[in-house]
Amino acid sequence: MRSKIADTLDKITQSNTTQEEKIDTKALLKHAPEAPIPTGLKPMLATLVDKPFDDADWQYEVKWDGFRTLAFIQQGEVELLSRNNKSFSDKFYPIHHLMQAWKMNVVLDGEILVLNEKGISKFGELQNWRSEADGALVYYVFDLLWYEGKNLMELPLFQRQAILKDILPKGDDRVRIGQVFTAKGTSFYQDAEKLQLEGIMAKRRSSTYTPDLRSQDWLKIKVHQRQEVVIAGYTKNEGTSKLFSSLLLGVYEKGELQFVGKVGTGFTKKVQEELIALFKPYLTKKSAFKVIPDINKPSRFRPDPPKAEAFWLKPELVGEVAFTEITSDGIFRQPSFQGMRSDKKAIEIVREVAQPTAKAVKVKAVTASEAFAGALTPPEVRERRTLLNPTNDSQVRPVCGHDIKFGNLSKVYWPEDGVTKRDMLNYYYQIADYILPYLKDRPLSLNRFPNGIHGTSFYQKNVKGKAPEWAQTFPYTTSDGQHKEFLVGNDEDTLLWAATSGCIEMNPWFSRTHSPDNPDYCVIDLDPDKNTFEQVIEAAIEVKKVLDALGVPTYPKTSGSTGLHIYIPLGAKYTYDESQDFARKLVHVVNKQLPDFTSVERIIAHRNGKMYLDFLQNRPGATIAGPYSLRPKIGATVSMPLHWDEVKPGLTMRDFTIFNTVERLKTEGDLFKAVLGEGVDLERTLKKAESLFS
């Protein structure tokens, strides 16, 4: 259901679009001066003012809480650069990869941020962003500087944005055009306060783009007080168990670092660990402050502060804090840590003082009639994309509340296809919601390939003493009395832990831990020898014909290797013996219909190269690759559930791989849901089949 905010946004956008439709963007591009793509460009900056205002010659935008980013795209090469020309291409790889597919040459200006479920950007979440598991990464584009050999920076802002709207590719909301509003700036600001935004931007509609200049044609009005700071040290209180107690903050004034206070809130334990690791190369014995602060000095707020020790840092790291006010001696009141700023240089960090709005703007009467009632829409519900970023070969990621270490991520598991361990783990993360129903509560036999599909592999059933403490296991006793434990595929964290150990394929039991002797389904495994795949398809269709005649529902999937699997839901109402007996009778009927190329012989030598109609899989502890499991085969194939009308000549295993499964699931959904349903009435079916099975 759409929100009132989204509906209001549509109405305002429509009114703005009417105005833009009068602009001949093709003519503007035709007459724009030719120029090579700019290099070494730094973005145009805005001046801080103290109050919002209303003026018909100005437009208003959201002040995003993210990283300012220029995007340079030419001949398929993409570079994302910070305001100081540091590369963001690897850090924000989803945006980089998306733009590599664009068929255009262009330079864009915008802001990269992470949106939460309410559509609000949170800088702390962006600062800690490592992969798409950490949030919806969005690049909001608000300006167009150069396009297909044309310099557009001398055009008025509203004309640049009209061209931007025409040329920006649509269809993936990870790149969005920043909405422009010509409503009252004061109303816009009030709604920004209600929505807890960082602030608003005001831009003169006629403004040209002036790189690396803080212009009064662009203004920012903050809702909450924020300040970038140099982190020049930290303290540790006597007797504390924390890694540090507070950070020592500074800003530059006349080229010298001035102390502006301590911040001791806004840190999780994990953030503290990351910061301490970050600080180590910058530790120094000398303070960088012009006047060394007395960290143990009492104040009216803390007359008896704990005794603390100071650790000094070279003044090279930049962070950001929020605060309530600045005291008369220039100290931030009640600061809270927001995150680190890797996009800004320490020497640039000065105290930001808001200018009086009246001084910066000659305000005119408002003629616009729009009333802004909300600026944001949450990110659309999207499929998962990645858990692990493409850069670090070793990563620790939180999954279901447990930190899992993922290592050797660049190791190639499928060399013919260039598929790495990282790709495999990202695949299982993306399809977790689809595969987990077929692993939940089921003991797993782990088929591990620690060195890829051509390396030594082995089955691991016993995980006693090897699985993490939080993982559920299922006990069993061997014939010689040894106590062992299966891993149970309950959760996403278990799935990914198994995969990171080199378990390429997921092999679950047919039954679950609460009813281990009663399988949820019966499986017919069509296992070819010297047969063509067309013969496998013919045998599958014959199985379906027999079961259709009995009114029994059937669900096919590729094995991902050479054969097909046909599932019959049982609903855990029967024993393995009863399931196997039904399967045995069924395959004997099929064998009679197709004697030339099928066999029911257990001994391979007695099959004479014929396809084995395997019914013996229906036994306790037996496993086959589950639905959506990867297979250790060239092509990085997947065991894929099918519609029956897909089971026809022309079908191949390579139709379903790691490369296209996620897209298929988006359109087809889970075709195997009914396999876990109520199940057939086996007794009634057997009575109906007495003549057929005799």
Side-chain angles (χ1 to χ4, degrees):
M1 181 180 292
R2 290 182 59 80
S3 66
K4 292 183 179 179
I5 289 178
D7 292 336
T8 305
L9 177 60
D10 285 345
K11 292 177 183 178
I12 297 173
T13 304
Q14 289 166 8
S15 67
N16 289 338
T17 302
T18 302
Q19 187 177 17
E20 289 174 0
E21 287 173 351
K22 298 175 183 178
I23 299 173
D24 188 345
T25 57
K26 291 183 179 179
L28 289 174
L29 286 170
K30 181 178 179 181
H31 293 101
E34 294 185 358
I37 189 169
T39 58
L41 199 67
K42 291 188 177 182
M44 181 174 174
L45 302 176
T47 298
L48 179 66
V49 295
D50 59 357
K51 295 178 182 178
F53 60 95
D54 301 333
D55 192 311
D57 291 338
W58 291 70
Q59 65 185 43
Y60 304 95
E61 302 171 12
V62 172
K63 184 182 187 307
W64 297 111
D65 195 6
F67 281 132
R68 185 77 175 275
T69 305
L70 294 176
F72 297 79
I73 306 173
Q74 188 174 38
Q75 297 178 348
E77 296 292 325
V78 179
E79 188 67 56
L80 302 177
L81 296 177
S82 76
R83 54 182 286 177
N84 285 317
N85 287 320
K86 290 184 178 181
S87 178
F88 282 154
S89 297
D90 290 338
K91 180 176 179 63
F92 300 125
Y93 62 90
I95 304 299
H96 183 257
H97 292 172
L98 172 62
M99 288 182 164
Q100 284 179 319
W102 288 7
K103 307 298 182 183
M104 65 167 63
N105 303 306
V106 69
V107 178
L108 304 169
D109 190 3
E111 193 102 357
I112 288 180
L113 48 107
V114 171
L115 293 184
N116 65 15
E117 68 281 357
K118 295 181 180 178
I120 307 297
S121 60
K122 295 295 184 182
F123 181 73
E125 294 177 12
L126 179 68
Q127 171 64 32
N128 296 318
W129 194 92
R130 297 295 181 269
S131 77
E132 288 163 308
D134 292 324
L137 199 67
V138 176
Y139 182 35
Y140 263 99
V141 181
F142 49 70
D143 217 325
L144 174 65
L145 314 187
W146 180 90
Y147 177 67
E148 298 296 352
K150 298 283 188 169
N151 180 6
L152 306 179
M153 288 184 275
E154 293 301 315
L155 291 177
L157 172 64
F158 75 95
Q159 292 183 351
R160 298 197 304 273
Q161 290 180 330
I163 299 172
L164 175 64
K165 188 171 183 180
D166 282 350
I167 63 101
L168 199 71
K170 300 174 178 61
D172 193 315
D173 71 346
R174 285 177 290 177
V175 176
R176 308 180 184 183
I177 293 180
Q179 295 293 350
V180 172
F181 301 94
T182 55
K184 292 182 179 181
T186 50
S187 298
F188 191 5
Y189 182 85
Q190 290 167 5
D191 284 293
E193 284 185 300
K194 293 175 185 176
L195 291 169
Q196 298 181 328
L197 304 181
E198 185 190 358
I200 68 170
M201 300 292 298
K203 296 180 181 179
R204 198 183 298 275
R205 289 174 53 77
S206 60
S207 61
T208 59
Y209 193 93
T210 52
D212 200 22
L213 178 69
R214 193 170 294 280
S215 170
Q216 290 196 346
D217 282 338
W218 286 14
L219 306 175
K220 53 185 175 182
I221 306 103
K222 292 186 178 181
V223 169
H224 301 290
Q225 300 226 54
R226 299 276 286 266
Q227 170 72 52
E228 291 143 5
V229 289
V230 178
I231 300 173
Y234 62 90
T235 69
K236 188 168 184 179
N237 293 343
E238 188 176 56
T240 184
S241 60
K242 294 182 179 179
L243 295 175
F244 62 82
S245 299
S246 65
L247 303 182
L248 301 173
L249 314 176
V251 298
Y252 279 97
E253 293 178 3
K254 297 180 180 180
E256 295 180 316
L257 192 65
Q258 304 289 341
F259 180 67
V260 293
K262 299 184 293 184
V263 59
T265 61
F267 311 103
T268 63
K269 181 181 178 182
K270 183 177 180 182
V271 169
Q272 282 212 333
E273 291 171 350
E274 291 173 347
L275 288 177
I276 283 292
L278 177 65
F279 293 162
K280 283 184 179 180
Y282 299 93
L283 283 167
T284 181
K285 294 182 179 180
K286 185 179 179 181
S287 168
F289 292 109
K290 180 183 178 182
V291 177
I292 299 177
D294 181 359
I295 61 170
N296 292 303
K297 181 181 178 181
S299 69
R300 65 189 180 96
F301 301 109
R302 286 194 91 171
D304 187 22
K307 187 177 180 181
E309 182 182 1
F311 298 83
W312 306 113
L313 301 173
K314 297 173 184 177
E316 298 177 29
L317 298 172
V318 178
E320 187 168 338
V321 296
F323 58 94
T324 57
E325 62 179 347
I326 299 176
T327 63
S328 59
D329 55 352
I331 302 299
F332 295 142
R333 176 87 171 92
Q334 295 181 349
S336 173
F337 181 75
Q338 301 297 306
M340 299 297 291
R341 301 279 332 199
S342 60
D343 59 329
K344 299 191 177 182
K345 296 178 180 179
I347 196 64
E348 299 175 347
I349 304 305
V350 297
R351 194 188 298 274
E352 199 170 25
V353 179
Q355 294 186 19
T357 298
K359 183 178 179 181
V361 184
K362 186 177 180 181
V363 179
K364 293 184 178 181
V366 174
T367 58
S369 60
E370 299 92 343
F372 175 69
L376 300 171
T377 54
E380 292 180 5
V381 177
R382 288 192 296 267
E383 75 283 358
R384 290 175 158 198
R385 291 195 172 98
T386 58
L387 172 71
L388 302 167
N389 68 57
T391 305
N392 304 108
D393 198 47
S394 180
Q395 300 172 42
V396 177
R397 305 293 294 132
V399 183
C400 299
H402 302 118
D403 283 345
I404 300 178
K405 183 176 181 179
F406 300 95
N408 298 316
L409 296 176
S410 299
K411 183 178 285 186
V412 178
Y413 271 20
W414 285 264
E416 289 83 359
D417 307 286
V419 176
T420 64
K421 183 180 180 181
R422 176 188 284 104
D423 298 324
M424 178 188 74
L425 288 160
N426 279 334
Y427 168 81
Y428 278 124
Y429 172 74
Q430 289 173 297
I431 61 102
D433 288 344
Y434 292 94
I435 196 172
L436 280 173
Y438 306 98
L439 307 181
K440 185 172 175 56
D441 297 326
R442 299 180 194 280
L444 302 178
S445 180
L446 306 180
N447 192 6
R448 295 178 57 185
F449 292 77
N451 293 303
I453 67 171
H454 299 309
T456 301
S457 65
F458 58 95
Y459 276 95
Q460 180 182 2
K461 295 182 179 180
N462 182 29
V463 296
K464 184 180 180 181
K466 298 174 183 177
E469 292 181 1
W470 43 259
Q472 182 182 341
T473 58
F474 183 69
Y476 68 99
T477 302
T478 62
S479 57
D480 58 358
Q482 293 186 53
H483 175 74
K484 299 187 178 183
E485 297 174 5
F486 284 99
L487 184 70
V488 179
N490 270 352
D491 310 294
E492 184 181 338
D493 45 5
T494 304
L495 167 67
L496 293 172
W497 179 82
T500 199
S501 70
C503 183
I504 286 178
E505 62 183 23
M506 301 297 158
N507 295 278
W509 278 20
F510 293 11
S511 57
R512 286 176 279 188
T513 55
H514 56 75
S515 55
D517 299 322
N518 302 94
D520 289 293
Y521 37 76
C522 173
V523 177
I524 306 300
D525 182 4
L526 305 181
D527 185 11
D529 187 354
K530 298 178 181 179
N531 308 91
T532 65
F533 196 63
E534 281 69 22
Q535 288 176 320
V536 177
I537 291 169
E538 186 177 350
I541 293 172
E542 190 63 35
V543 171
K544 184 176 187 298
K545 285 180 181 177
V546 174
L547 293 172
D548 281 351
L550 298 174
V552 173
T554 55
Y555 302 90
K557 72 177 179 70
T558 65
S559 69
S561 179
T562 57
L564 290 172
H565 300 153
I566 301 171
Y567 281 54
I568 303 160
L570 297 179
K573 295 182 289 188
Y574 306 97
T575 65
Y576 274 103
D577 286 343
E578 290 170 316
S579 174
Q580 187 180 112
D581 182 59
F582 176 73
R584 179 183 58 79
K585 292 175 179 177
L586 172 63
V587 298
H588 275 78
V589 173
V590 174
N591 176 235
K592 288 179 182 179
Q593 299 297 323
L594 304 172
D596 294 340
F597 62 86
T598 68
S599 172
V600 292
E601 291 287 346
R602 289 186 59 184
I603 301 173
I604 296 176
H606 294 172
R607 297 176 195 164
N608 299 318
K610 294 181 180 181
M611 181 194 317
Y612 181 43
L613 305 178
D614 189 355
F615 61 93
L616 293 174
Q617 294 281 13
N618 300 284
R619 67 184 189 277
T623 62
I624 58 175
Y628 311 114
S629 173
L630 284 165
R631 298 303 306 273
K633 305 294 179 182
I634 293 174
T637 54
V638 169
S639 184
M640 179 60 68
L642 303 170
H643 295 285
W644 266 112
D645 60 10
E646 293 178 296
V647 184
K648 60 185 178 182
L651 174 70
T652 71
M653 290 297 160
R654 292 203 178 199
D655 291 341
F656 311 104
T657 69
I658 193 173
F659 303 107
N660 60 20
T661 292
V662 173
E663 288 301 314
R664 175 179 170 88
L665 289 173
K666 279 192 249 177
T667 58
E668 301 298 328
D670 181 12
L671 302 182
F672 247 41
K673 284 182 180 179
V675 165
L676 301 178
E678 183 178 352
V680 301
D681 185 331
L682 204 53
E683 295 175 6
R684 183 182 300 175
T685 299
L686 287 169
K687 286 183 180 179
K688 191 173 183 180
E690 283 178 356
S691 59
L692 187 64
F693 286 172
S694 60

